[in-house]
């Protein structure tokens, strides 16, 4: 992001109508020895909770010396139910948790959580940001989802829940039993937030010019490879690709590869220190 | 940007030898910016300058961050019960929200922990020299600055360092303003300025006169109503006492809903008068003077309890003080009262004793510089003042954007000098501009601003600096 992008100072709506607080679930794994690395905050996508990162990624990041936290957006996982939640409320949740961490955090968003992170970046100067299989909305995403899984997607158009199936989320390598367990834990996002996706909500420019990494899988059945490229170009880079993996890179069989790539990038990226 | 100045400590090996006009040695700090004070405005200056790639040395006379909001500091004006008068969304830095679990109007102790967390979160402490006070700031050629410091209290040798730019964030609520009264020296009771009022125990069981109807004066009067045996509250004129909540929400949030809709001042005033009429009604029946101005024309007083205690007889409203006698105080209406303690909540004056007043265009030395956006000085493009504002709302959002604008101006000086020159011209043309509606007694409240007017002015200054 260019440092000269237009800043928005006047925020009448946020001043006069602040987001109503909601109780949040935050899971964490911290390394035994604090090594001064920036903390990571993982933001799950719609339907997922902090548990999706607690399965593998939190522990793995901690074993490599990074404090790792995952938040459940309101209405997800162990956070307070919030059927009327909006994208703005989700971004509020992320900024609140980020600001509560001891040091400037790196925000890692998955799926629609990446869109929430993109919005949060306009309100919090993150050390860096990672967008994993980002769902930035628009009719293309809806079209792809309708083709793959019409019965699970159509109700969402009318305010019902979005039901993703295992074929969309995981590769064939993941054992059936595990995949079923994960799909069974999925919840749903607020209908207003789901609808907001259709409008392809454009995030304001990030504050503090953080470095941004985009990664995903060319075999993702939710996010087409073209979308990955488009999002990465918006942040002035190219996506990092992990062929053969499904949409849920943090739960799929080869979950270690993307998180290792993220941590390697953080160790190398000078601005993220 | 990685420069040798990033680490925040002058490295004697790396600095080139230089000396100033008196022959004193000066260590050259290159592109580093000097920030004076690590209170709220100083902290946000460090953070925003760092974020824009500048090295920063901050000098703080105390041993901790938080400035006025750190009750341990000897210049801190806070008292045990100090609470914010603006609600959270207006008070917090725009990119570092206060926790959801905090109340609408946080306590000063929470505010201090907020600044400490801000300093730790953005790793600001490594750029701050604690226990170091600035005694001189002098312009030198090339728009650079020699800053002379020494240990707080005057110990140790003086050191001078040369900086590319200076941000003055020394605060304006530490130098008490005491009015002159006839006979004050002979008064036998206890006299204190609000700055030395810390705890209601100082008033317990005594007859107390509180002078001044600012937010502090009203808070102290309310505490005296609860603790003292008798409380008089002397005000020069009638004021509008705004409740902290109206229509089920913090009052400033309701007001900003109207501002966002750009409801004209007259209509807002009418709505305000109307809501007050529905709640507390006409205050003159308690003996309070009738306000001689419309609401929004003086600094707002947000205090729900004052009127409550006046109505319960805990506070006796009295007019201005005429003169002091040894055992009595004579009021403007001829009455005499006999307080044991007099608290002057008569405000503070900004002071910049380390800077030659002419640099600020303040040749009279009245502590009243001529600035644009209350921050930029004509003829000195690398000098900025942060936080010299008395907003009708929280201050920290405003000083955040002031320092962002200054950081971007310094970037423009490096990358697009023609834009920085145009900015300097605007500073010369527009110095002294005001950012509020009609204000009563505007000579006293010269740095009073309306937050919406002021932030819009900053917004347009930013887009003029960077526009296509």
């Amino acid at each position: 992001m260019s440092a000269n992008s237009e800043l928005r100072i006047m925020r009448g709506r946020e001043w006069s109508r602040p987001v109503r607080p909601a109780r949040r679930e935050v899971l964490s794994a911290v390394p035994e020895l604090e090594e001064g690395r920036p903390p990571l905050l993982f933001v799950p996508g719609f339907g997922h909770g902090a548990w999706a990162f607690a399965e593998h990624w939190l522990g793995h990041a901690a074993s490599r010396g990074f404090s790792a936290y995952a938040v459940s957006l309101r209405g997800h996982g162990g956070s307070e139910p919030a059927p009327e939640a909006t994208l703005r409320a989700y971004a509020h949740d992320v900024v609140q948790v980020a600001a509560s961490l001891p040091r400037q955090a790196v925000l890692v968003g998955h799926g629609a959580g990446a869109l929430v992170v993109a919005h949060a970046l306009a309100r919090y100067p993150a050390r860096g940001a990672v967008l994993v299989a980002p769902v930035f909305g628009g009719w293309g995403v809806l079209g792809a989802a309708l083709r793959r899984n019409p019965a699970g997607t159509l109700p969402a158009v009318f305010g019902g829940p979005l039901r993703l199936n295992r074929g969309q989320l995981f590769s064939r390598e993941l054992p059936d039993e595990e995949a079923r367990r994960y799909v069974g834990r999925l919840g749903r996002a607020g209908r207003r937030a789901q609808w907001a996706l259709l409008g392809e909500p454009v995030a304001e420019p990030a504050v503090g010019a953080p470095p941004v990494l985009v990664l995903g899988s060319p075999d993702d059945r939710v996010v087409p490879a073209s979308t990955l490229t488009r999002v990465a170009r918006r942040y002035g880079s190219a996506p990092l690709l992990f062929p053969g993996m499904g949409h849920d890179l943090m739960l799929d069989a080869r979950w270690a590869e993307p998180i290792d790539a993220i941590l390697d990038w953080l160790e190398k990226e000078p601005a993220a220190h | 940007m990685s420069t040798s100045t990033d680490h925040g400590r002058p490295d004697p090996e790396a600095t080139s030898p230089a000396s100033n006009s008196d022959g004193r040695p000066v260590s050259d700090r290159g592109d580093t910016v000097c920030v004076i004070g690590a209170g709220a405005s100083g902290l946000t200056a460090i953070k925003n300058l760092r974020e824009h790639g500048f090295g920063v040395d901050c000098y703080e006379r105390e041993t901790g961050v938080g400035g006025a909001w750190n009750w341990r500091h000897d210049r801190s004006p806070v008292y045990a019960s100090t609470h914010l008068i603006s609600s959270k969304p207006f008070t917090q830095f725009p990119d570092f929200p206060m926790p959801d679990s905090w109340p609408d109007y946080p306590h000063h102790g929470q505010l201090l922990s907020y600044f400490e967390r801000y300093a730790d979160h953005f790793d600001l402490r490594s750029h701050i020299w604690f226990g170091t006070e600035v005694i001189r700031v002098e312009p030198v050629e090339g728009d650079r600055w020699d800053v002379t410091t020494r240990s707080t209290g005057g110990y140790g040798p003086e050191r001078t360092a040369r900086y590319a730019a200076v941000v003055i964030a020394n605060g304006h609520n530490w130098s008490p303003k005491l009015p002159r009264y006839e006979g004050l020296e002979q008064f036998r009771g206890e006299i204190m300025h609000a700055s030395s009022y810390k705890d209601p125990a100082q008033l317990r069981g005594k007859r107390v006169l509180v002078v001044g109807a600012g937010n502090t004066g009203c808070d102290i009067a309310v505490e005296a109503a609860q603790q003292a045996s008798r409380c008089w509250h002397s005000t020069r004129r009638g004021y509008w006492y705004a409740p902290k909540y109206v229509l089920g929400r913090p009052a400033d949030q309701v007001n900003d809903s109207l501002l966002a809709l750009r409801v004209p001042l007259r209509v807002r005033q009418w709505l305000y008068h109307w809501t007050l009429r529905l709640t507390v009604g006409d205050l003159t029946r308690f003996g309070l003077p009738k306000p001689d101005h419309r609401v929004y024309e003086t600094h707002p007083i947000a205090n729900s309890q004052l009127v409550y205690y006046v109505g319960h007889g805990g506070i006796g409203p009295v007019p201005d003080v005429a003169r002091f006698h040894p055992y009595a105080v004579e009021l403007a209406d001829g009455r005499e009262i006999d307080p044991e303690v007099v608290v002057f909540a008569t405000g503070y004056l900004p002071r910049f004793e380390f800077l030659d007043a002419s640099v600020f265009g303040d040749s009279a030395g009245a502590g009243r510089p001529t600035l644009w956006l209350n921050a930029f000085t004509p003829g000195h493009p690398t000098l900025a003042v942060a936080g010299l504002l008395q907003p009708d709302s929280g201050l920290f959002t405003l000083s955040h954007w002031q320092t962002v604008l200054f950081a971007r101006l310094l970037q423009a000086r490096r990358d697009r000098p023609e834009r920085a020159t145009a900015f300097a011209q605007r500073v010369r043309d527009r110095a002294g501009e005001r950012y509020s509606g009609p204000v009563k007694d505007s000579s006293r409240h010269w740095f009073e601003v309306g937050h919406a007017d002021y932030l819009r002015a900053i917004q347009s200054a930013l887009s003029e600096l960077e526009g296509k």
Side-chain angles (χ1 to χ4, degrees):
Chain A
M1 292 263 93
S2 121
N4 288 340
S5 17
E6 183 77 15
L7 285 171
R8 209 174 116 225
I9 294 179
M10 299 306 292
R11 293 184 180 276
R13 179 141 177 273
E14 281 169 56
W15 295 332
S16 59
R17 290 274 171 195
V19 172
R20 184 183 275 260
R23 187 174 38 76
R24 287 179 292 267
E25 172 190 45
V26 178
L27 303 179
S28 64
V30 287
E32 283 174 24
L33 205 67
E34 172 62 48
E35 294 176 59
R37 296 204 166 104
L40 304 178
L41 174 59
F42 293 97
V43 180
F46 289 2
H48 295 67
W51 58 266
F53 291 102
E55 285 290 321
H56 309 295
W57 279 19
L58 290 188
H60 189 76
S63 75
R64 283 192 54 180
F66 288 86
S67 305
Y69 303 82
V71 58
S72 293
L73 299 175
R74 59 183 65 197
H76 292 79
S79 289
E80 199 173 307
E84 295 304 315
T86 56
L87 211 48
R88 175 177 167 236
Y90 290 156
H92 171 88
D93 287 344
V94 172
V95 174
Q96 277 283 322
V97 177
S100 75
L101 299 179
R103 274 170 307 117
Q104 220 174 340
V106 174
L107 305 184
V108 186
H110 172 259
L115 179 66
V116 176
V117 163
H119 282 264
L121 288 178
R123 306 308 320 278
Y124 170 76
R127 191 80 61 97
V130 183
L131 309 179
V132 183
V135 174
F136 271 36
W139 295 94
V141 171
L142 176 68
L146 277 174
R147 267 197 311 283
R148 300 270 173 203
N149 178 9
T153 309
L154 204 56
V157 178
F158 302 100
L162 178 69
R163 289 193 194 287
L164 298 173
N165 60 30
R166 76 149 287 182
Q168 284 173 296
L169 297 178
F170 307 109
S171 70
R172 297 239 170 89
E173 290 167 55
L174 189 72
D176 226 9
E177 189 193 333
E178 256 180 82
R180 259 205 303 276
R181 186 160 61 84
Y182 295 148
V183 171
R185 290 191 75 170
L186 293 179
R188 59 158 304 183
R191 57 198 176 114
R192 292 170 67 189
Q194 284 181 7
W195 278 326
L197 275 186
L198 289 181
E200 219 171 337
V202 181
E204 289 171 45
V207 290
V212 178
L213 173 71
V214 178
L215 54 84
S217 163
D219 303 309
D220 188 328
R221 306 247 167 93
V222 178
V223 182
S226 60
T227 306
L228 284 180
T229 315
R230 206 179 63 228
V231 171
R233 196 175 295 148
R234 192 180 291 181
Y235 292 97
S237 68
L240 207 56
L241 296 177
F242 297 86
M245 297 187 75
H247 179 66
D248 277 3
L249 287 91
M250 65 285 189
L251 293 172
D252 211 343
R254 284 154 43 209
W255 57 264
E257 292 171 30
I259 182 68
D260 274 327
I262 292 171
L263 300 177
D264 290 345
W265 176 76
L266 286 175
E267 281 167 359
K268 284 190 206 113
E269 178 60 52
H273 284 293
Chain B
M1 196 173 78
S2 272
T3 66
S4 63
T5 59
D6 267 2
H7 306 289
R9 289 285 182 273
D11 178 0
E13 312 274 320
T15 54
S16 56
S19 57
N20 66 3
S21 49
D22 316 345
R24 278 176 287 142
V26 173
S27 63
D28 194 319
R29 299 287 290 131
D31 289 334
T32 307
V33 180
C34 174
V35 174
I36 302 172
S41 302
L43 288 175
T44 190
I46 308 173
K47 180 212 152 251
N48 287 319
L49 287 162
R50 295 276 311 142
E51 206 169 278
H52 286 80
F54 294 97
V56 177
D57 286 350
C58 172
Y59 297 108
E60 167 57 50
R61 67 186 299 281
E62 299 280 357
T63 52
V65 300
W69 292 97
N70 193 330
W71 53 271
R72 295 181 191 90
H73 293 170
D74 60 2
R75 284 178 172 182
S76 167
V78 302
Y79 36 91
S81 67
T82 308
H83 278 74
L84 290 176
I85 57 164
S86 54
S87 69
K88 274 195 295 181
F90 298 91
T91 310
Q92 62 206 5
F93 292 119
D95 56 357
F96 190 73
M98 291 182 177
D100 274 349
S101 56
W102 284 9
D104 286 330
Y105 295 99
H107 182 251
H108 73 81
Q110 287 174 311
L111 208 59
L112 173 59
S113 81
Y114 175 71
F115 294 131
E116 286 176 336
R117 281 203 309 113
Y118 185 78
D120 291 333
H121 194 87
F122 295 108
D123 192 20
L124 306 179
R125 289 183 206 262
S126 59
H127 307 281
I128 306 172
W129 293 68
F130 289 105
T132 308
E133 63 184 358
V134 171
I135 50 175
R136 262 192 310 284
V137 175
E138 300 152 299
V140 290
E141 60 180 310
D143 291 328
R144 307 190 69 209
W145 298 88
D146 278 358
V147 177
T148 305
T149 57
R150 68 171 176 215
S151 294
T152 304
Y155 307 107
E158 296 183 2
R159 299 173 47 139
T160 305
R162 187 161 293 172
Y163 291 96
V166 170
V167 177
I168 297 175
N170 66 333
H172 58 257
N173 282 335
W174 53 269
S175 175
K177 184 170 76 176
L178 266 173
R180 270 192 209 116
Y181 290 103
E182 195 186 323
L184 186 58
E185 322 64 63
Q186 300 148 25
F187 183 64
R188 298 295 178 84
E190 191 187 343
I191 290 171
M192 64 168 110
H193 187 265
S195 58
S196 47
Y197 172 76
K198 295 290 156 197
D199 191 276
Q202 289 166 277
L203 309 177
R204 197 160 294 153
K206 298 183 177 158
R207 295 188 303 277
V208 179
L209 167 65
V210 181
V211 180
N215 283 291
T216 304
C218 293
D219 276 359
I220 297 176
V222 165
E223 297 206 332
Q226 300 168 45
Q227 301 291 341
S229 68
R230 180 108 201 246
C231 169
W232 298 277
H233 187 205
S234 159
T235 58
R236 189 170 296 163
R237 61 157 71 91
Y239 288 91
W240 298 100
Y241 300 101
K244 280 187 153 177
Y245 288 91
V246 288
L247 310 176
R249 291 198 294 137
D252 51 1
Q253 296 178 14
V254 174
N255 181 39
D256 251 59
S257 314
L258 302 175
L259 279 180
L261 298 171
R262 298 206 183 223
V263 174
L265 178 68
R266 280 283 164 188
V267 179
R268 282 188 295 131
Q269 285 174 329
W270 180 84
L271 279 170
Y272 207 119
H273 291 180
W274 177 75
T275 21
L276 283 188
R277 210 160 42 238
L278 283 184
T279 49
V280 291
D282 178 14
L283 295 181
T284 57
R285 73 185 191 280
F286 297 124
L288 282 163
K290 188 174 158 58
D292 58 355
H293 56 279
R294 299 177 68 82
V295 74
Y296 298 121
E297 288 180 358
T298 54
H299 188 73
I301 297 159
N303 195 317
S304 303
Q305 289 172 287
L306 187 96
V307 174
Y308 174 90
Y309 280 105
V310 169
H312 286 63
I315 297 172
V318 294
D320 211 5
V321 171
R323 62 184 60 80
F324 282 83
H325 299 295
Y327 295 99
V329 176
E330 189 182 325
L331 302 168
D333 60 2
R335 261 188 297 163
E336 284 199 4
I337 54 175
D338 56 344
E340 295 162 281
V341 180
V342 180
V343 185
F344 287 106
T346 40
Y348 299 84
L349 285 170
R351 270 176 65 191
F352 311 94
E353 71 272 70
F354 46 77
L355 192 70
D356 184 1
S358 65
V359 170
F360 264 166
D362 174 30
S363 40
R368 187 179 163 170
T370 308
L371 306 169
W372 183 44
L373 293 170
N374 287 28
F376 300 98
T377 322
H380 294 286
T382 53
L383 179 69
V385 189
L388 184 57
L389 300 161
Q390 194 163 34
D392 57 350
S393 173
L395 170 65
F396 317 130
T397 304
L398 277 57
S399 37
H400 169 90
W401 291 115
Q402 285 183 319
T403 56
V404 167
L405 176 59
F406 187 54
R408 298 206 166 192
L409 172 65
L410 294 180
Q411 276 185 337
R413 276 175 65 80
R414 187 184 63 211
D415 305 332
R416 310 172 83 177
E418 75 288 351
R419 288 187 178 249
T421 313
F423 187 91
Q425 187 56 47
R426 282 194 291 278
V427 174
R428 270 191 292 274
D429 295 345
R430 292 157 74 174
E433 254 179 18
R434 300 290 303 259
Y435 310 94
S436 59
V439 172
K440 261 286 188 246
D441 201 359
S442 62
S443 66
R444 200 152 55 91
H445 298 290
W446 65 272
F447 55 110
E448 178 89 32
V449 299
H451 70 286
D453 291 343
Y454 184 77
L455 288 174
R456 278 195 196 106
I458 291 262
Q459 177 100 65
S460 62
L462 250 179
S463 43
E464 277 169 355
L465 180 67
E466 304 190 331
K468 302 294 164 307

